[in-house]
Amino acid sequence: MHSGVSLLLLFVARSCWCAPQQTCHPGDEFLGRCSNNVYEEKPKCTELNLGYCNDMEYSSTIFPNILGHRSRVDAESGAEYLLLSVIHGLLNGECSPEIRLVGCSVLASPCKDDKMIKPCRSTCEALRKDCAHAFEAIQMAWPYFLDCDRFFASNQEGCFDPLAGLKARQELAMSSLSPEEPSTIIQFTYTSNAQMYSLLKRTAAKCSHISHVYSIGRSTEGRDLLVIEFTNNPGQHELLEPEIKLVGNMHGNEVLGRQLLIYLAQYLCSEYVLGNQRIQTIINTTRIHLLASMNPDGYELAAAEVEDSNDPELTNHEGHLLNGWTNGRGNAQSIDLNRNFPDLTSVFYRNRRSRHYRIDHIPIPDAYWFGKVAPETYAVMKWIRSLPFVQSASLHGGELVVSYPFDFSRHPQEERMFSPTPDEQVFKQLARTYADAHATMSNNDTERCGASFYRTRGIINGALWYSFAGGMSDFNYLHTNCLEITVELGCDKFPSEAELYPEWKRNKEALLSFLESVHRGIKGVVKDVDGVGIKGATISVKGIRKDVTTAEDGDYWRLLNPGTHILTATAKGYSKVSKRVHLPHNMNKAGRVDFVLGKVPVEPDIDDHLFPTVDTWDRFDPYNQFERYSEPDVAEEGIERQEKPWWWNYFSQSGISPPHWLLRNV
């Protein structure tokens, strides 16, 4: 918890968090000491000398102020002034200095001709709208003394804008940028979980016509797994528009991918608005999903270790390197999320010699649910199953290479064995797309982290590197249509903050090229003779034993390399149709291949039991094992424990009731 928060709570415990009320005792009224006495001296303008507000655009104020403080001493000893002094820490730097300037305009309003000039209500309302996400992130209500209706004035009444000077300086700074400088301005610093949530929500609000945020679930400790989406029609799948996802921070101590996706979100939003044609084309033709942190709990552990390394009292000063290779890698249950997915690769290896066995949409074995399934894994599996993802990348750290499935060796005893999928050539092309567009990954002279990937120009089959079961990439490939690669971004899992901008420059083109590469191969719609799309139809490619299935409206995407391919579309109860397709090498977008299937009588097939049917694929947590395992803890008295905000323990331990305005959002 921030030191400012602790200070604020200590003050809360001893103070009344309500506006000072002016009372007048009978004796005082008789002696002429009350403010309603007609003989009281008229308030006059006085010099602004309020420590935390001395940088305002004016130099004179007046007391009593809007809140009833009768002097500078009263104002500085009030709870409102204390809140302004710690607000930067409370909100993790969000809405600063705007909220302080507006707060100061209430505590010490400008004075002219011995009359108070109130701040503008429109400024207050705009700030409250912009900062709602920041207060929501810390479960704190909007401060009562910034009540836009009570303490602010309309333009018609005559008011002043406390943010006018700040806005003017920002506009001047923007106008001074030369055309050669980047139009998009990004702050290349690390972000806490609260800052990440706020930043993503603010980005989505800024570009609400092309973006929105949604949660796919919660971590073990209750943190949102927040996704930001970019498309020209946010919130829904469009026919023939491919869906792509990028996942960062699966291992909590591998943080560069998390930051790159946060920067990418800001970049896509800003550049789209600024008219960048390339970015507009990407967003207008693609549905992009960015999960910046799959493991926010692990990140908290890793970040805390890095903060501790900067403690001057510690004798070991290794900075960010103190994090090592394991602290925060797993989630709050110490589960390695990239070993926690169903091991469908072993199922594939056991059945691969069966002529009829399909290797697409392999169902999850029921036995999997009786193991320890992390809530983060569960949420991502539901997410992967719910949308027709075509392509994906998971961003990691510790090496400089792109690996691709299979990650689990075809001989479990072999630690390093080349174990290709039927889509080996397509996967190699995906990996090459990222590695070649990266500033240094594919260079032969690039300094590596111990492995010799320069011989393969920065890409490798996962199992040939090292074998492991239960990985996310293998699960994507064998359970859905999605092809996922793993991008290792560099040797340092938690690089210093000074390295964030150089890393963005190295990876930006690779990220954009990877997004564009989803428009490769073929796409189309499978319909019946009446023109109605057929859900769940199968598209097979001769020579590649991996089929894809159609989405809700019958549309499909099949990543393929250039060449001649024979495609076959089929669905239960429909005829089979085949087409020969040639994809030229210079083709820079997916070819369109539609199918129309006629209905035929359904005849029982003796081999039906060999095929993973839709019914078995749909069996997801069939015995409700995950829900049982993840039930909320129950206290000794039988009362369910619910997640409490960060300030709850303080008041519980002190025996003091929280102020009513903090309780509004509980």
Side-chain angles (χ1 to χ4, degrees):
M1 186 181 295
H2 293 282
S3 59
V5 176
S6 303
L7 178 63
L8 174 63
L9 293 177
L10 182 61
F11 194 94
V12 168
R14 299 178 179 175
S15 305
C16 174
W17 284 75
C18 44
Q21 298 185 7
Q22 301 178 41
T23 59
C24 189
H25 298 288
D28 289 336
E29 185 175 359
F30 176 80
L31 295 172
R33 294 174 181 167
C34 295
S35 59
N36 57 0
N37 192 295
V38 295
Y39 299 107
E40 181 180 298
E41 183 179 351
K42 183 179 179 182
K44 293 183 178 180
C45 293
T46 184
E47 181 183 0
L48 174 59
N49 188 22
L50 204 59
Y52 207 62
C53 301
N54 281 340
D55 60 344
M56 301 298 285
E57 302 291 328
Y58 50 90
S59 58
S60 297
T61 187
I62 192 169
F63 289 100
N65 62 12
I66 297 176
L67 301 176
H69 298 132
R70 303 196 59 77
S71 67
R72 177 183 64 82
V73 174
D74 288 347
E76 286 187 334
S77 61
E80 302 85 0
Y81 185 78
L82 174 62
L83 178 59
L84 285 184
S85 69
V86 299
I87 197 71
H88 179 86
L90 279 172
L91 299 182
N92 294 301
E94 288 287 322
C95 302
S96 297
E98 290 88 348
I99 201 162
R100 179 180 63 80
L101 295 175
V102 172
C104 285
S105 72
V106 173
L107 283 169
S109 303
C111 179
K112 185 176 181 181
D113 299 329
D114 295 331
K115 291 183 179 179
M116 178 188 296
I117 306 174
K118 287 188 174 183
C120 291
R121 183 172 297 125
S122 58
T123 301
C124 175
E125 290 171 344
L127 182 65
R128 180 169 185 171
K129 181 179 179 182
D130 290 343
C131 297
H133 62 279
F135 282 88
E136 177 188 336
I138 62 170
Q139 301 177 23
M140 177 179 173
W142 183 252
Y144 86 89
F145 66 92
L146 296 183
D147 188 318
C148 303
D149 294 323
R150 289 177 60 192
F151 303 126
F152 294 76
S154 66
N155 294 330
Q156 291 75 17
E157 296 174 275
C159 64
F160 86 104
D161 181 359
L163 301 183
L166 178 65
K167 293 173 184 175
R169 290 191 294 274
Q170 290 174 340
E171 290 175 3
L172 180 62
M174 288 294 292
S175 64
S176 66
L177 291 175
S178 66
E180 291 75 25
E181 292 186 82
S183 301
T184 296
I185 298 176
I186 298 172
Q187 187 175 4
F188 292 96
T189 57
Y190 278 116
T191 52
S192 67
N193 284 321
Q195 288 172 324
M196 175 183 68
Y197 297 142
S198 298
L199 195 52
L200 294 179
K201 289 176 182 178
R202 189 169 62 182
T203 300
K206 177 182 176 182
C207 291
S208 58
H209 57 305
I210 59 165
S211 178
H212 92 294
V213 293
Y214 63 94
S215 175
I216 62 171
R218 288 184 177 271
S219 68
T220 302
E221 296 182 344
R223 295 181 175 91
D224 269 317
L225 305 180
L226 203 66
V227 177
I228 184 167
E229 170 197 348
F230 289 93
T231 179
N232 60 350
N233 194 6
Q236 59 183 316
H237 172 69
E238 289 190 347
L239 193 72
L240 292 172
E241 185 172 83
E243 309 224 9
I244 184 171
K245 60 184 168 71
L246 301 178
V247 178
N249 204 204
M250 186 182 198
H251 292 141
N253 63 335
E254 297 171 13
V255 301
L256 181 56
R258 166 191 169 111
Q259 293 303 135
L260 291 179
L261 294 186
I262 293 171
Y263 304 151
L264 179 62
Q266 297 174 78
Y267 181 81
L268 292 175
C269 169
S270 178
E271 290 297 304
Y272 189 99
V273 172
L274 291 169
N276 184 319
Q277 189 172 353
R278 182 186 185 189
I279 300 305
Q280 289 182 341
T281 299
I282 291 174
I283 291 176
N284 290 340
T285 60
T286 319
R287 191 178 181 198
I288 303 162
H289 305 259
L290 308 179
L291 174 58
S293 183
M294 182 178 166
N295 187 3
D297 297 350
Y299 176 83
E300 286 285 326
L301 293 172
E305 184 74 17
V306 172
E307 288 176 4
D308 289 345
S309 72
N310 295 319
D311 189 333
E313 295 184 5
L314 292 179
T315 57
N316 187 357
H317 293 283
E318 296 182 15
H320 58 282
L321 297 175
L322 184 65
N323 182 293
W325 283 66
T326 58
N327 222 23
R329 176 183 174 88
N331 72 346
Q333 301 164 302
S334 298
I335 295 174
D336 187 330
L337 300 181
N338 207 28
R339 308 292 188 274
N340 194 230
F341 284 82
D343 177 17
L344 303 184
T345 323
S346 293
V347 178
F348 162 69
Y349 288 146
R350 284 197 302 268
N351 295 281
R352 69 183 185 274
R353 290 186 172 84
S354 172
R355 184 170 61 89
H356 296 288
Y357 193 83
R358 283 173 51 182
I359 72 161
D360 59 281
H361 292 74
I362 296 178
I364 298 171
D366 286 359
Y368 168 77
W369 299 106
F370 292 89
K372 199 169 186 180
V373 182
E376 297 88 350
T377 309
Y378 184 88
V380 169
M381 285 194 294
K382 287 190 71 173
W383 181 44
I384 291 171
R385 289 165 55 93
S386 68
L387 294 170
F389 289 116
V390 181
Q391 186 172 308
S392 175
S394 178
L395 308 184
H396 290 250
E399 254 297 351
L400 189 62
V401 70
V402 178
S403 70
Y404 57 88
F406 286 125
D407 285 323
F408 189 40
S409 171
R410 52 199 169 110
H411 289 294
Q413 289 76 24
E414 293 290 340
E415 290 279 331
R416 294 176 174 83
M417 171 176 274
F418 177 59
S419 304
T421 68
D423 279 292
E424 165 71 10
Q425 296 306 315
V426 176
F427 268 122
K428 285 181 71 173
Q429 184 58 44
L430 283 180
R432 282 259 66 87
T433 297
Y434 197 99
D436 290 349
H438 187 277
T440 60
M441 191 177 287
S442 64
N443 295 353
N444 288 340
D445 59 347
T446 298
E447 183 180 346
R448 301 288 167 175
C449 319
S452 301
F453 299 123
Y454 66 88
R455 295 188 179 92
T456 56
R457 293 178 46 236
I459 70 171
I460 193 170
N461 171 259
L464 182 59
W465 182 14
Y466 66 93
S467 174
F468 66 91
M472 185 166 67
S473 294
D474 283 10
F475 176 79
N476 271 271
Y477 183 70
L478 294 172
H479 192 64
T480 72
N481 294 336
C482 186
L483 274 64
E484 180 176 274
I485 61 172
T486 300
V487 181
E488 300 282 348
L489 294 164
C491 310
D492 196 345
K493 294 191 174 191
F494 208 128
S496 64
E497 206 164 64
E499 282 298 309
L500 294 179
Y501 177 55
E503 287 293 351
W504 166 250
K505 290 199 296 183
R506 293 183 194 111
N507 285 277
K508 183 181 78 170
E509 179 56 35
L511 290 166
L512 297 179
S513 296
F514 188 75
L515 294 178
E516 291 170 325
S517 70
V518 74
H519 298 277
R520 175 187 291 149
I522 57 171
K523 64 181 179 180
V525 182
V526 180
K527 301 178 181 178
D528 62 20
V529 292
D530 297 320
V532 179
I534 302 173
K535 177 186 177 182
T538 298
I539 307 296
S540 60
V541 181
K542 187 176 181 180
I544 302 178
R545 199 178 168 192
K546 157 73 177 178
D547 301 341
V548 298
T549 55
T550 55
E552 194 74 31
D553 298 319
D555 48 345
Y556 75 92
W557 305 261
R558 185 51 166 108
L559 296 175
L560 288 171
N561 289 342
T564 300
H565 305 279
I566 297 176
L567 311 177
T568 300
T570 185
K572 195 165 187 177
Y574 292 89
S575 60
K576 182 184 296 185
V577 176
S578 297
K579 293 186 178 182
R580 189 184 191 89
V581 177
H582 178 71
L583 297 177
H585 285 270
N586 59 353
M587 195 168 184
N588 56 9
K589 64 179 181 178
R592 175 82 180 262
V593 182
D594 294 337
F595 293 90
V596 177
L597 307 184
K599 288 193 175 182
V600 296
V602 179
E603 297 181 2
D605 189 336
I606 195 172
D607 294 323
D608 278 351
H609 69 283
L610 296 173
F611 289 82
T613 64
V614 172
D615 291 336
T616 56
W617 189 86
D618 282 343
R619 284 171 66 82
F620 188 76
D621 195 9
Y623 306 113
N624 208 28
Q625 284 297 110
F626 178 81
E627 296 300 334
R628 290 180 198 169
Y629 178 76
S630 60
E631 283 178 358
D633 293 336
V634 177
E636 292 179 6
E637 297 82 2
I639 301 172
E640 182 177 303
R641 291 182 187 145
Q642 297 179 349
E643 184 188 8
K644 300 299 183 184
W646 47 264
W647 44 262
W648 190 267
N649 286 340
Y650 174 84
F651 289 103
S652 299
Q653 295 167 8
S654 64
I656 302 170
S657 298
H660 66 88
W661 63 273
L662 269 177
L663 288 170
R664 287 179 208 159
N665 287 348
V666 178

